[in-house]
Amino acid sequence: MNIRRICSLLLLAAAAPLAAAHTGADAAAHHGFAAGLLHPFTGLDHLAAMLAVGLWSALICARWQDAVKAPLSFACMLLIGALLGAGGLALPAVEPMIATSLLALGLLLAARQTLPAPAAMGLVALFALFHGTAHGQELAGAGALAGMVLATALLHGAGLAVGFALRTRSLWWPRLAGAATALFGAALLLA
């Protein structure tokens, strides 16, 4: 499969979900592993953030061992945030922080901005805490949380794979993906 097909498939996958941000209206409405596995794919904000983390990491790190650090940090803190959210923790400004994460990750991706590994890991961990809290308020049970973490890992893996494939082949696809992610985040902030 060539690079254009991969990018086209990712764009279609990202555009498919109609849900954008989480309102909490369906709190704890999703039960079971399958619901948790599908949940990150049904919110365009979460889908875009998770793909962006993987793509950005692949573009700025020379070795895959380094590239997985930020996605792993995101996935771990996402789980912690989800557990806190499921336990009733309500962080302030969850939706604005999710939108800010898209804006920041999009800009970092578009600019191919490198950060020291601890800073990159800390930044995505902070954003993941808010994404996780939103997920945790909507998912119920360990199975749903396990599915959500697996879906997150798959989305990060997809972003990493595309990032490694594009790093020497295209300067513009990652920049366009970053710009689109940043614009989406800005639109959510203004909404």
Side-chain angles (χ1 to χ4, degrees), residues 57-58 61 63-74 160 164:
S57 296
C61 296
R63 302 176 329 147
W64 72 269
Q65 294 93 333
D66 295 327
V68 299
K69 289 179 180 177
L72 284 174
S73 177
F74 189 103
L160 284 164
F164 279 118

Side-chain angles (χ1 to χ4, degrees), residues 32-135:
F33 181 80
L37 186 66
L38 291 175
H39 192 69
F41 292 94
T42 62
L44 189 55
D45 53 347
H46 295 295
L47 181 67
M50 292 172 199
L51 288 170
V53 167
L55 187 57
W56 176 55
S57 296
L59 292 173
I60 65 167
C61 296
R63 302 176 329 147
W64 72 269
Q65 294 93 333
D66 295 327
V68 299
K69 289 179 180 177
L72 284 174
S73 177
F74 189 103
C76 290
M77 191 55 79
L78 181 80
L79 178 58
I80 291 169
L83 290 169
L84 292 171
L89 177 70
L91 292 175
V94 169
E95 293 306 322
M97 280 301 293
I98 289 173
T100 299
S101 76
L102 293 169
L103 178 61
L105 290 167
L107 292 173
L108 289 166
L109 176 57
R112 282 193 176 193
Q113 180 64 49
T114 60
L115 296 176
M121 293 168 64
L123 181 66
V124 300
L126 174 66
F127 292 149
L129 181 64
F130 286 89
H131 283 268
T133 302
H135 281 303

